[in-house]
Every structure is written in C-alpha cells, then in structure tokens.
Amino acid sequence: QKEVEQNSGPLSVPEGAIASLNCTYSDRGSQSFFWYRQYSGKSPELIMSIYSNGDKEDGRFTAQLNKASQYVSLLIRDSQPSDSATYLCAVNRGGSNYKLTFGKGTLLTVNP
Amino acid sequence: NAGVMQNPRHLVRRRGQEARLRCSPMKGHSHVYWYRQLPEEGLKFMVYLQKENIIDESGMPKERFSAEFPKEGPSILRIQQVVRGDSAAYFCASSFDRNTGELFFGEGSRLTVL
C-alpha cells in the first residue's frame, strides 16, 4: 500500500463550482497534514495545513481531516481558472515537520 | 524579497559525469531541505541541512550523493557518476524554523542524464 495516495486526475470542474480533492495515508502515526499547490514548472506552494480532526477554513479553501479513516481532503469553493494546478497532499509523522511524505498529486482543471 | 533560488533550472549530463545543484534559501532561513521527484512519483525527502551541518540524511542514496551547506554560499547537492535513474527534478526548500511545517520550495533543478 502506498504511503500517501491521491487520485491523479485530471479532475475537471466548471468555473464557480466546488472542487473536491482527496487523499488517504497509511501511517496511523501521521500527525501533520498539508496541501501544496504546484503550477506546471513552478515550485510547490503551501496553501493549507491541518493537525486535528475536523474542518479548517481559509478563504475559499477548506481542509478536512479524519484520522480514524486516515483521510484528508481539500475543498475549493467558487473555483477559478487560476486554481488550475496540481495539488499535492503531504503528511508527516511528527516530531519535525520537514520530513514530509507526498502523494503524486491531483491535476485540477477549472474550465471557464 | 527573493524566494528560494535554485540553479541551474535544467541540467543535462552524460552517464558518469558529475552534477552539482545549488540552492540559496530565503533570506533569514537557516534550514535547507532537498527533495527529489522522480518521473511519475511524489516528492521524496533526501536531506536536511543547517549551516555547516547535515542534520538528517536518511533519504539520501548511500552512494554517489552528497550535500553540503557551507558557512558562506549556497547549499550544494552533488551527484557523482550520474546514471539514467538519477534523471529527476530536485527541489530545495527552506524554513525559518524546522518545526513550523511551512517549507518554502524553489522551482527545482531538472536533471536529465543521457
């Protein structure tokens, strides 16, 4: 079983819709969870972090964490064409947050 | 305020040559991390350095790879005697604090081994 799994996509949504990105992880000891956005040929950029079960909202982005199900998701409301990118899910076991385990990413396309 | 700077952005080497990738962290950051992204794979941690010290190299291949972060100048990831399997994107990240969880990534150096 892969450590962090994401649907590779592409996920295609119309402008203004809600985009839902999902991620599962295998290590029950994981404590910190991150979503990075990566435009083609650019650097990964942290957009959300979540550490406890439940929802965390930041603007149009909501991260959801369910440790019992080993599941973390990212919702993007009112999707814009500029949201079109690859979204990387990353988790870490704890202690120090630098040793992240990344999924392969989900390519999101928002159609005008 | 410049971000994490990596160079070269693209590097082509023949098998057996050496590759040197450089990374300058964000201003004020003293923690540097190298990650590798192989084709069709997720980013994988390689090494964590602070000035003049390797803190964690648990993700580094045992042979041919080395990293340094000297007192002056950028961090360098060095790959000796490159093989085709080394072809990948190498990303550097930096942080102000190792425990904040926020890593700032550079745009990567893409190594192609012919």
Side-chain angles (χ1 to χ4, degrees):
Chain A
Q1 182 184 8
K2 294 177 183 171
E3 294 182 69
V4 178
E5 288 204 61
Q6 296 180 252
N7 187 327
S8 62
L11 173 65
S12 184
V13 300
E15 184 175 355
I18 295 175
S20 178
L21 303 160
N22 305 316
C23 172
T24 58
Y25 59 94
S26 61
D27 186 350
R28 285 196 171 274
S30 297
Q31 296 184 12
S32 307
F33 306 86
F34 306 90
W35 283 99
Y36 282 80
R37 177 177 62 198
Q38 186 176 25
Y39 295 111
S40 181
K42 299 297 184 181
S43 57
E45 174 192 9
L46 180 67
I47 54 173
M48 289 289 286
S49 58
I50 187 166
Y51 304 95
S52 54
N53 281 329
D55 295 359
K56 178 181 177 183
E57 187 174 319
D58 183 1
R60 295 187 296 111
F61 299 97
T62 298
Q64 299 174 317
L65 175 61
N66 184 326
K67 290 185 178 179
S69 300
Q70 295 175 247
Y71 177 91
V72 59
S73 67
L74 179 70
L75 300 178
I76 307 174
R77 289 181 300 281
D78 189 23
S79 295
Q80 301 297 309
S82 59
D83 295 326
S84 298
T86 296
Y87 289 81
L88 308 174
C89 173
V91 307
N92 122 301
R93 187 173 176 81
S96 296
N97 283 330
Y98 61 85
K99 195 183 291 187
L100 301 177
T101 301
F102 282 83
K104 294 183 183 181
T106 297
L107 176 62
L108 171 66
T109 300
V110 180
N111 301 306
Chain B
N1 186 18
V4 177
M5 303 300 291
Q6 289 189 247
N7 68 83
R9 293 291 311 279
H10 300 275
L11 182 64
V12 179
R13 285 287 179 267
R14 296 190 181 280
R15 281 179 295 170
Q17 292 184 318
E18 178 179 287
R20 284 193 179 217
L21 310 176
R22 290 175 290 278
C23 169
S24 295
M26 283 185 70
K27 187 176 182 180
H29 288 189
S30 60
H31 304 262
V32 167
Y33 319 89
W34 286 93
Y35 279 74
R36 177 168 66 173
Q37 187 171 36
L38 292 166
E40 307 303 320
E41 296 290 329
L43 286 155
K44 293 194 186 306
F45 169 78
M46 298 181 75
V47 62
Y48 160 38
L49 310 104
Q50 285 185 271
K51 282 289 187 181
E52 301 186 275
N53 290 303
I54 297 174
I55 307 301
D56 181 349
E57 56 181 347
S58 57
M60 287 279 269
K62 295 285 188 286
E63 298 176 344
R64 303 186 296 107
F65 284 72
S66 62
E68 62 177 7
F69 189 14
K71 187 176 180 180
E72 301 292 335
S75 175
I76 295 175
L77 179 67
R78 181 183 179 202
I79 312 171
Q80 295 178 292
Q81 300 175 321
V82 296
V83 301
R84 288 215 173 107
D86 297 332
S87 296
Y90 292 83
F91 287 91
C92 173
S94 72
S95 69
F96 176 75
D97 182 311
R98 63 185 278 174
N99 291 319
T100 61
E102 178 155 355
L103 304 186
F104 292 84
F105 281 86
E107 295 194 341
S109 291
R110 283 156 178 81
L111 171 65
T112 300
V113 179
L114 301 177

